Amino acid sequence: MKARHLEILQEKGFPVPKFILVSENEEADLSFSERDCFAVRSNFSAEDGGEHSFAGQFLTRLNVKREKVQEAVQEVFASYAGSLDYKEKANRGKTEYYLKEQGKAETVLIQEMLFPEKSGVLFTKNPKGILSEMVVILGQGLGDKVVEDQENVLTYHYFQGECLYQEGQGTSLALKEEELKTLFTLGERIEQLFQKPMDIEFAIEKGKVYILQAREITTLDMHLPVRILDNSNISESFPGICLPLSESFAGEMYSGIFTSLGRRFLGKKVSSYEELFQRMVGGFSGRMYYEISSWYDILRLLPFSRKIIPVWQRMLGVSSEEISFSKKRPSFFLKCRIAFLFCYYFFVSQRKMKELDRFFQERYASYSKRVDEEEDAQALYRIFLEMKEDLLREWDITLINDMVSFISTHLYGKKTAFSLETMKPVRALSALKTVAGKYGLDSEEYRREKQSYISAYGDRIVGELKLETRTYRTNEELLDRWILDSLETDSVEKDCEETSRSEKPSNQKQRKPFFYRLAESSCNNREISRLHRTRCFGLMRRIVDKIGEKTIGFDVYYLSLDELKELLFSGKDFSLKIAREKELRKAYERLPVLSRVKLLGQVDRDPLAGEIRVLSYESFKGKGDIEGQIGTPGKEEGNRKAGRIGQMEKVGKEDGDATPRVFFGRGVSRGIFRGEVLKIKSLQEVRATEAKGKILLSYSTDPGWFPYLNMAGGLITERGSLLSHSAILARELEKPAVVNIPNIMEELQSGDIVEIDGDLGICSVIKQKEK
C-alpha cells in the first residue's frame, strides 16, 4: 500500500524521491539513483491499510550506504516474521493484538536518501476528528528524533478560511511563507487524489518540499456523525468564553423548544428527530456555536426549503453557504403535512405571538416572586424544572415567527426602518440619564427611575445569555457606572431630542402593503420574544446565584445542569472538575476564535501547552509577509506573552484554599481513564505484568514499550508530540494518552491516583500517595 501510493503520486507529478521495490530473495538494483545513501523502508502488505496503519511496528533503516543496502533489506524482511493483526473481541469488550504468520510474498522499499534541513508530517485532517483543521508537525533534520521524543517540534494549526497559528518555540525551525503554502496545497491535492484524510510525511531539502510517504489516517472513525458548528449570530448573545452551566442551560433550552416544534409539526414522526433536537447548539473550545448541520435538517422539512435556506442564511448572517444534511430527505407525505401546517401558522403567527406575550408576562411575574421568596437550594432547582416545562411548552411559536419575519422582510424587498420594540429599553435608558443629569445619582428621583429600569430591562446587557454575566439586576453599580461614563461623553439634551424625534408618529396615512405590515409585526414580535428570552435567562441567573450562596459560591457556574442536580441532591464533590474547567477556560482564551468548524463526533480542541504564535492569515493568502504576534487578537490577556500552561497552577478559591491539581499537555489518543500511576524511568526496572491496569508515566517511550502499554490503561509522558512513538502506539492500541506535560515526572509518583483525558490533554490528580 505504501509503495502503491508513492507510485500514484509519482505518476501524478508530485515531488517524490526515486525508489524501487525488491522481494526477499531479489538483489537490489541501485542504478535508479546516483546517490550514495538510501532509506530502506518496510512495505508490508498489511501496513498502511484501510483499517490500521501499524505505524512504527516494522523496521525502517535510514542513511544506509550503498554497499550496506542488501543487509538492511534483509533486516527489514526479518521484522516481517510476525505481523500485528487487529482483532476485536466483543465478548471480552477489549482490543487484542495477536501474532499471525503471513504466507504472502512481501517487498521492501528502497528510496533515495534525502538530507533535509527540516522534515515532519502533515495531517490533512486533525487525527482527533477536527475535520476543518490541517496540522503540520515539524522537526529538524530527518525527523527521526521527533518520534523518539528527543527533539522539540513546531506545530502549525491551519483552519482554511479562518486562521493559522504556530505552537512551540524555535524561530530557526519555523517554515517560510512559501513552504507553508506549498505544504498545504500539496496536502489538499493529495487528499483530493485519494479521497481520504491523509497522513503525509515530508522533507524539505534546499528549499524544495518532497513527499516521502502518504497513508490514510486510520484512527478517524468515519462512522461517527459529522457535526458542523457555526457561531454566526449566536456569538452576539454568547460572546467570548462561556462557562459550562451556560452551555448546558442553552442546550437544554434549544432542545426543549425544538422538541415542542417537532411535536407540533411532525406528529408521530417526531421520534425520528428527537436525537437531532438534542444538538441544536454546542460548545467548542469554550465558545458557543449553532450546530448548523442540525438546523439544515430541520429547515429541509419546510416547503420550498431550497429557496428558504438561502434566505435564512442571509438573515442570520451565516457566512458560509455550504449546506449539509445528516438525515434522509423527508417523504413527500411528510412535506405536504408540514406545508399545510406551516401555511396555517404563517397567517396566525402574529395572533399566537401576542398570546405568548401575555402568557409570559403573567408567568414571569409569578416565578420571579417565588424565586425572591425561596431560600432552599433544592426548592430553587425544582422551580427551575417547573419553569422550564411551563415556559417552553408554547415557546416554539417564536421559531415560526422568526421564519415569518425572515420571509416577509425578504419578500417586501425594500430597506425599511421599522419602529421596533427594541427601542423601548434605549428610550428608558435615555430617560434615566436625563434624571441622573438633572437630579444626580444620589437623588430619590434617580433611585426610583433606576429601579423602574432594572425591573423592566435589568438583564439586558452585553453577554446577557451567559448565566455567569453580571447584569444590572445582579449588580446595580454597573448601571451607575455606565450612567456616569455616559454623562461625561454624551449630551443629555441631544439624547432627549433624538428620543423625541424617534417617537414622532408618521404622517403617512396611506395603507401599507401586506408584506410591510407582516414584516413590521413579526420583527417587533421577534424583539419582544428576545427580550422575554433575556428575562428568562435572567431569572435562571437569579436561581443559580441563590443556589451558589447556599453551596459553593460562583464555582456553581463551572458545573453542568446535571452536575448541579447531583451537587444538590446527592452532595457529590465536584472540586476536581471545577479546577479543570477553570484551567481549560484560561487556556482557550489564548486560542484564535473560529467562526466555523467541522467535527467528527464529540471532540474538542487541544488547550495547547506552550507558546502560541498567531500568524496573519491575510498575508498567508498572499497579501504580504507573515508577521506573528503573541496571543490572540483582540484579547488583552492574550497579547501578553503566554507562559507554559502545562505547569501546574494553584488557583485559590475566595477563601484562599488551593484547588485540586490539574496538568495540561497534548491529548494524542482519545479516551478517559482513571487509575494508579506507575512511574517508569527505565524498562529494566519493571516487568510488563506490573503495568496491568495502570497509567504509565515516563519521560518518553519507544517501540519497545508495546507489551507494557498493551497491558496498561493509559499513558502520560513529559515529552512527545502527535508523531511520537507514545502517540502512535497509544492510538493503535486505543489507550488514552497525554504527552508533553512539563515536569510531570517530578510532580507525580508511583501509587498516585490520577485521571487522564486523552481528548483534551488533561491529567488530574485524584489522590496522592502518602509519603
Side-chain angles (χ1 to χ4, degrees), residues 427-451 453 476 479-488 490-493 495-496:
R427 292 167 185 154
L429 195 58
S430 179
L432 181 60
K433 285 168 57 179
T434 302
V435 172
K438 185 176 182 179
Y439 298 103
L441 271 67
D442 295 327
S443 66
E444 183 61 34
E445 289 83 357
Y446 172 76
R447 282 193 289 269
R448 188 165 52 247
E449 191 73 20
K450 181 174 73 170
Q451 288 305 314
Y453 178 83
E476 295 183 9
L479 182 56
D480 295 336
R481 200 176 306 142
W482 189 93
I483 292 292
L484 281 173
D485 292 343
S486 183
L487 287 173
E488 290 177 1
D490 294 339
S491 166
V492 174
E493 289 76 16
D495 286 331
C496 293

Side-chain angles (χ1 to χ4, degrees), residues 10 16-20 32-34 38 109-113:
Q10 202 171 54
V16 177
K18 296 177 183 178
F19 68 94
I20 61 169
F32 75 96
S33 173
E34 297 179 356
F38 298 87
L109 187 149
I110 303 174
Q111 195 173 44
E112 282 187 335
M113 187 68 206

Side-chain angles (χ1 to χ4, degrees), residues 432-625:
L432 181 60
K433 285 168 57 179
T434 302
V435 172
K438 185 176 182 179
Y439 298 103
L441 271 67
D442 295 327
S443 66
E444 183 61 34
E445 289 83 357
Y446 172 76
R447 282 193 289 269
R448 188 165 52 247
E449 191 73 20
K450 181 174 73 170
Q451 288 305 314
S452 176
Y453 178 83
I454 289 175
S455 177
Y457 307 112
D459 301 304
R460 178 128 285 188
I461 197 171
V462 175
E464 59 193 19
L465 299 191
K466 292 166 60 174
L467 298 181
E468 64 271 16
T469 298
R470 298 299 86 188
T471 66
Y472 299 142
R473 192 185 301 276
T474 60
N475 185 355
E476 295 183 9
E477 290 182 4
L478 293 175
L479 182 56
D480 295 336
R481 200 176 306 142
W482 189 93
I483 292 292
L484 281 173
D485 292 343
S486 183
L487 287 173
E488 290 177 1
T489 56
D490 294 339
S491 166
V492 174
E493 289 76 16
K494 183 179 178 182
D495 286 331
C496 293
E497 290 172 6
E498 290 179 350
T499 301
S500 62
R501 282 200 299 269
S502 65
E503 290 177 337
K504 289 179 181 178
S506 172
N507 293 325
Q508 297 178 350
K509 295 184 178 180
Q510 65 269 27
R511 183 173 176 81
K512 297 171 184 175
F514 169 74
F515 282 115
Y516 176 93
R517 287 183 281 117
L518 186 59
E520 182 180 43
S521 173
S522 58
C523 287
N524 271 308
N525 283 326
R526 185 168 187 257
E527 291 303 318
I528 292 171
S529 67
R530 286 163 68 92
L531 179 58
H532 290 338
R533 181 187 63 178
T534 299
R535 289 167 174 160
C536 184
F537 275 67
L539 192 53
M540 182 60 182
R541 183 181 294 111
R542 288 155 63 188
I543 290 174
V544 176
D545 280 350
K546 293 193 76 171
I547 290 175
E549 290 172 6
K550 309 294 179 184
T551 54
I552 58 174
F554 191 79
D555 283 355
V556 72
Y557 286 101
Y558 289 93
L559 303 177
S560 68
L561 282 172
D562 288 339
E563 290 165 343
L564 179 60
K565 183 178 179 181
E566 284 190 81
L567 173 75
L568 293 176
F569 295 95
S570 66
K572 185 174 178 179
D573 181 14
F574 286 100
S575 56
L576 175 62
K577 193 265 183 184
I578 291 168
R580 289 173 56 169
E581 292 292 349
K582 286 181 177 180
E583 293 303 298
L584 265 178
R585 264 58 190 176
K586 287 181 185 177
Y588 285 143
E589 281 277 8
R590 305 167 58 229
L591 297 180
V593 180
L594 301 172
S595 62
R596 191 178 182 90
V597 63
K598 185 181 292 187
L599 308 173
L600 194 61
Q602 291 290 336
V603 63
D604 214 327
R605 214 161 160 198
D606 277 323
L608 303 184
E611 185 176 285
I612 307 301
R613 185 177 177 86
V614 180
L615 305 178
S616 170
Y617 184 73
E618 288 301 316
S619 63
F620 181 74
K621 291 188 289 187
K623 296 183 179 179
D625 295 329

Side-chain angles (χ1 to χ4, degrees), residues 25-44:
N25 299 315
E26 180 184 357
E27 187 74 23
D29 181 3
L30 303 181
S31 62
F32 75 96
S33 173
E34 297 179 356
R35 297 214 178 193
D36 294 325
C37 293
F38 298 87
V40 182
R41 303 179 185 275
S42 60
N43 188 50
F44 191 66

Side-chain angles (χ1 to χ4, degrees), residues 121-137 156-160 183-184 187-200 215-222 226 322 597-600 603 722-723 731:
V121 171
L122 163 65
F123 294 101
T124 61
K125 300 283 186 287
N126 188 317
K128 292 178 60 175
I130 305 177
L131 301 182
S132 50
E133 179 184 18
M134 298 178 78
V135 183
V136 170
I137 297 100
Y156 290 91
H157 302 263
Y158 174 48
F159 290 84
Q160 189 173 22
L183 268 177
F184 291 130
E188 290 170 1
R189 288 176 57 200
I190 291 172
E191 185 177 73
Q192 289 172 4
L193 177 62
F194 293 103
Q195 293 295 299
K196 293 176 181 177
M198 300 298 287
D199 168 347
I200 302 165
R215 61 172 71 90
E216 179 186 356
I217 301 175
T218 56
T219 53
L220 289 173
D221 185 355
M222 302 309 292
V226 175
E322 177 190 358
V597 63
K598 185 181 292 187
L599 308 173
L600 194 61
V603 63
L722 204 60
L723 293 185
R731 288 196 294 270

Side-chain angles (χ1 to χ4, degrees), residues 68-85:
K68 294 287 186 179
V69 167
Q70 199 64 36
E71 180 183 328
V73 168
Q74 294 308 313
E75 289 178 356
V76 175
F77 272 119
S79 73
Y80 294 175
S83 72
L84 286 174
D85 279 355

